[in-house]
Amino acid sequence: MSEQRKITNALISVFHKEGLESIIHKLDELGVKIYSTGGTREFIEDLGVRVNAVEEITSYPSILGGRVKTLHPKVFGGILARRHVEGDVQQLTDYDIPEFDLVLVDLYPFEETVASGADEESIIEKIDIGGISLIRAAAKNFKDVVIIPSKNQYDKLTNILNEQGGETEITERKELALEAFNVSSHYDTAIYNYFNSYFDKPTFKQSISDAKVLRYGENPHQAGTFFGKFDQLFEQYHGKEISYNNLLDIEAAVYLIDDFEETTFAILKHNNACGIASRDKMLEAYKDALAGDPISAFGGILITNDKIDSPTAEEMDKLFFEVVIAPAYDDDALEILKKKKNRIILLRKDTTLPTKQFRTLLNGVIVQDRDTSMERKNDMKLVTKKQPTTAEYEDLEFALKIVKHTKSNAIVLAKNKQLCASGTGQTSRIDALKQAIEKANHFKLNIEGAVMASDAFFPFSDSVEIASGGGIKTVIQPGGSVRDQESIDFCDQHDMAMVFTGIRHFKH
C-alpha cells in the first residue's frame, strides 16, 4: 500500500473566506474536483471556478436554517472510507459516493462571538456541528485524507499545492490530523467553559493554542514554554526576547500596579516590590521608589500606571533594569530608554486580566479566585483608643496594597506613600518585621511615624512591641488571633493606633 496520496476531490466548508481565493484557483488548476455548500459554494462560483453542490450528492437541501448541510452518509462515507479496505471501496461504488482526499474547514467563530458580548441565541448559533464533525472524520482517516482544520493552516495547504503538486506523505497528513484534533478539542473546551460559566461545575478544562517556546525555564537546565496571547496585553517596543523569569515578574508587577489609582511607580525583584511610591509627578514617584532599595532595583522590573516622560527616562537610564512597563511613553523618553539594546520596553494595552488562577500541584491542579479584595478606610475597624490621622489612613491603604502582593510571611513599612522597607517570604512574622526595620535603617529611611501592614494576624503582641521600638505608630492587620487583645492593649499603652480589616492576604 502506497502511503503517498494525491488530492483529486476536495470538500470545502469554511466561515472565513480570507486567503481562500488563491487556494481555490490552484485546486482548479490541478484539476481537483471541488464540492461545497452554502456561502462557501457561492464564494467559489463567484470566482468563476466550477464547484459541485453537496446537495447533488446527498439529494437533500440545506435544512433547518443551515444547521444541517453536510451531515449525511454520502459525505462522511467519502471521508471515512479506507482506501485499502476492499469492502469500503466497494460500498463507495455501490452507493455512488465520491472519495474525498481533502477536507478544508474553518469553524464558526464561537470564542469571538462570546467575547463580543453577543446574546445567548447568537452564541449558540455559532456552535459548529457539521464543521467539527468533518474535521474529526477527516483527521481519523488521515491515512487517506488531508485535513485543513482552520484558516491558520491555509499556508500549509498552499505549500502542498504549489510545491508538491497536491501530493502528501503520510507523516504530513498525520501531523495535520494532530492539528485538527487540537482545533476540535480547543473548540469543545471553549463551548464547555461557556456553559459552565452558568453553573461553575468543579471541572478543570483549559485550552490555549498559542505557544511560545522560551529560551529556558526558571533555570537554564529547565525547558520553558509560555502559553497565551502576550500581544493582547503588551506591545514590545524594544529589547531582547522575554524570559520565563521576566514573565513571572511582569505578572507580579501588573497586578500590583493595578491596585493604585494615582500616579505610582514600582520596582520589583523576584515578584516582590523593592520600591514603590505614589506622587503627583512621575519623576518624583520614580526617585522615591528607587530610594526604597537602590541595590535590589539593579536588574529589576519597572512599572508605572502613567506616561513616562523624558526627565523620568533620563533618571531611569542611569539604572540597569530588565523590563519597563507603562501605558504610554513620550517620544523623547522612548529614544532615551532604547539606548540599551537588550532593555525590554513594553507598552501595556487596555485589557482585562483573568480573575481565576491555577497552578500544577502534585499530580493535579489547584484553582482559586484571584485576590481582588482591597480594603479601604471604610472597611477598617479601629480597635485602639488612638485613631489614625487622615494622612496615616492614606498610608495604611498604600501599605496594604503592597503587602497584599508580597510573598508571605510579609510585613510592609510605609510613610508618605513611599515603601520604606518590607520583610518578604519569611518563615515567621517576627523575622519579616525585623528584616524590614533593618532594611529601612540600612538605607537611612526615617520610619519614625511610619505605618506597618501585615498580610496576616499577629499571634502574639511581640510584633507590635518590636514595631513600637522601631518608631512605628500605626498598624493595619486582619485580626483574628485568640490573643488579639494583647496586641490591642500594648498599642493603647504606647499611644499606637491599630485597625483590623478582617481580610487575610497570604501569597505563596
Side-chain angles (χ1 to χ4, degrees):
M1 179 186 69
S2 173
E3 293 189 336
Q4 193 164 14
R5 293 285 185 271
K6 183 175 177 65
I7 297 170
T8 57
N9 290 340
L11 176 60
I12 304 176
S13 178
V14 301
F15 182 85
H16 291 98
K17 311 299 190 295
E18 298 86 356
L20 187 61
E21 181 176 348
S22 60
I23 290 173
I24 298 299
H25 284 303
K26 190 62 181 180
L27 288 170
D28 187 48
E29 179 186 322
L30 292 173
V32 175
K33 194 171 184 178
I34 300 174
Y35 295 82
S36 191
T37 186
T40 307
R41 179 173 60 82
E42 292 174 5
F43 174 83
I44 297 171
E45 287 176 338
D46 289 343
L47 295 176
V49 174
R50 176 174 171 74
V51 57
N52 300 275
V54 169
E55 292 85 350
E56 294 175 5
I57 304 172
T58 63
S59 299
Y60 275 92
S62 173
I63 62 172
L64 305 181
R67 281 190 162 196
V68 180
K69 294 190 287 283
T70 57
L71 296 169
H72 194 279
K74 281 200 169 185
V75 174
F76 283 86
I79 297 170
L80 287 164
R82 295 158 292 185
R83 287 21 170 203
H84 63 285
V85 176
E86 185 176 341
D88 286 10
V89 175
Q90 183 60 50
Q91 286 186 324
L92 293 182
T93 302
D94 293 343
Y95 295 107
D96 194 24
I97 300 174
E99 293 181 354
F100 292 115
D101 317 291
L102 166 67
V103 175
L104 197 164
V105 179
D106 185 65
L107 300 171
Y108 292 160
F110 177 80
E111 287 182 281
E112 293 88 338
T113 305
V114 173
S116 73
D119 59 83
E120 183 177 86
E121 183 177 354
S122 299
I123 291 171
I124 297 304
E125 286 307 309
K126 286 298 184 288
I127 298 177
D128 206 313
I129 303 300
I132 205 80
S133 302
L134 293 172
I135 288 174
R136 291 177 61 83
K140 178 177 180 176
N141 201 24
F142 69 88
K143 289 185 178 180
D144 298 303
V145 181
V146 173
I147 173 62
I148 301 298
S150 82
K151 61 182 179 179
N152 296 328
Q153 282 76 41
Y154 283 4
D155 287 347
K156 289 189 177 182
L157 177 58
T158 298
N159 183 70
I160 289 171
L161 299 177
N162 290 337
E163 304 299 324
Q164 301 167 208
E167 294 190 358
T168 58
E169 299 288 345
I170 192 168
T171 52
E172 292 178 279
R173 298 193 296 277
K174 192 170 187 177
E175 185 175 2
L176 286 168
L178 169 69
E179 295 184 15
F181 286 120
N182 183 34
V183 168
S184 65
S185 62
H186 178 84
Y187 198 76
D188 285 340
T189 298
I191 294 169
Y192 174 85
N193 286 334
Y194 166 73
F195 278 94
N196 198 34
S197 67
Y198 292 98
F199 302 99
D200 199 23
K201 297 287 186 181
T203 56
F204 181 79
K205 292 184 185 293
Q206 292 290 327
S207 177
I208 304 174
S209 297
D210 297 88
K212 179 176 177 56
V213 177
L214 305 172
R215 284 175 291 163
Y216 50 80
E218 203 161 6
N219 298 292
H221 63 277
Q222 296 171 268
T225 304
F226 173 70
F227 293 92
K229 296 181 179 180
F230 189 80
D231 292 345
Q232 283 187 349
L233 302 178
F234 305 97
E235 180 178 349
Q236 184 169 349
Y237 281 161
H238 184 74
K240 63 183 180 180
E241 183 180 343
I242 294 172
S243 71
Y244 182 98
N245 290 326
N246 288 155
L247 288 168
L248 292 176
D249 282 328
I250 288 168
E251 183 192 51
V254 164
Y255 281 105
L256 169 64
I257 206 70
D258 279 357
D259 272 334
F260 293 85
E261 294 84 27
E262 56 191 310
T263 298
T264 302
F265 208 108
I267 305 171
L268 289 87
K269 195 72 170 289
H270 296 295
N271 308 157
N272 293 303
C274 57
I276 183 168
S278 296
R279 296 289 183 265
D280 292 334
K281 295 182 179 180
M282 175 64 68
L283 179 58
E284 296 308 311
Y286 169 71
K287 285 183 175 180
D288 288 345
L290 181 63
D293 187 347
I295 294 177
S296 295
F298 183 86
I301 304 292
L302 278 55
I303 189 168
T304 182
N305 55 5
D306 209 341
K307 180 186 283 189
I308 293 180
D309 53 28
S310 55
T312 306
E314 289 281 7
E315 283 297 312
M316 292 166 59
D317 193 51
K318 299 174 184 177
L319 174 71
F320 168 72
F321 59 89
E322 291 264 337
V323 182
V324 58
I325 308 164
Y329 300 83
D330 282 345
D331 291 340
D332 291 343
L334 268 180
E335 291 308 308
I336 294 166
L337 295 172
K338 286 180 178 179
K339 289 193 294 186
K340 303 290 193 300
K341 71 174 184 177
N342 288 330
R343 181 180 285 162
I344 297 168
I345 304 174
L346 298 178
L347 175 74
R348 188 174 176 196
K349 300 178 182 179
D350 185 15
T351 52
T352 302
L353 292 165
T355 57
K356 294 277 188 182
Q357 58 184 161
F358 56 87
R359 63 196 287 184
T360 57
L361 183 71
L362 299 175
N363 62 344
V365 174
I366 51 174
V367 181
Q368 69 170 353
D369 297 328
R370 192 169 287 280
D371 184 0
T372 58
S373 177
M374 180 41 57
E375 297 71 57
R376 306 294 181 177
K377 179 181 177 180
N378 291 340
D379 304 309
M380 299 175 190
K381 178 184 177 183
L382 181 65
V383 295
T384 54
K385 296 175 182 177
K386 183 179 180 181
Q387 181 168 325
T389 65
T390 299
E392 286 171 337
Y393 267 120
E394 290 179 354
D395 278 345
L396 288 174
E397 283 193 21
F398 178 86
L400 186 62
K401 291 173 183 178
I402 301 169
V403 82
K404 166 187 167 182
H405 295 279
T406 304
K407 297 287 186 181
S408 299
N409 286 312
I411 291 289
V412 163
L413 306 180
K415 185 178 180 180
N416 299 327
K417 296 183 181 178
Q418 177 189 22
L419 172 62
C420 298
S422 60
T424 65
Q426 299 301 305
T427 52
S428 83
R429 202 154 301 282
I430 289 296
D431 287 344
L433 175 55
K434 289 179 178 178
Q435 181 190 59
I437 293 173
E438 180 183 350
K439 198 171 188 179
N441 291 334
H442 175 76
F443 290 113
K444 296 181 171 54
L445 291 170
N446 181 11
I447 57 173
E448 184 70 32
V451 307
M452 174 175 73
S454 175
D455 62 337
F457 67 63
F458 299 126
F460 306 101
S461 62
D462 48 7
S463 291
V464 291
E465 292 171 17
I466 294 171
S468 176
I472 305 299
K473 296 300 182 185
T474 313
V475 179
I476 186 169
Q477 59 139 320
S481 168
V482 295
R483 305 179 75 163
D484 276 344
Q485 194 60 47
E486 294 178 14
S487 295
I488 295 170
D489 291 343
F490 181 89
C491 288
D492 284 339
Q493 293 162 12
H494 293 80
D495 197 32
M496 295 174 69
M498 183 162 63
V499 298
F500 287 177
T501 64
I503 302 293
R504 188 182 72 185
H505 290 292
F506 270 167
K507 185 183 179 188
H508 295 102

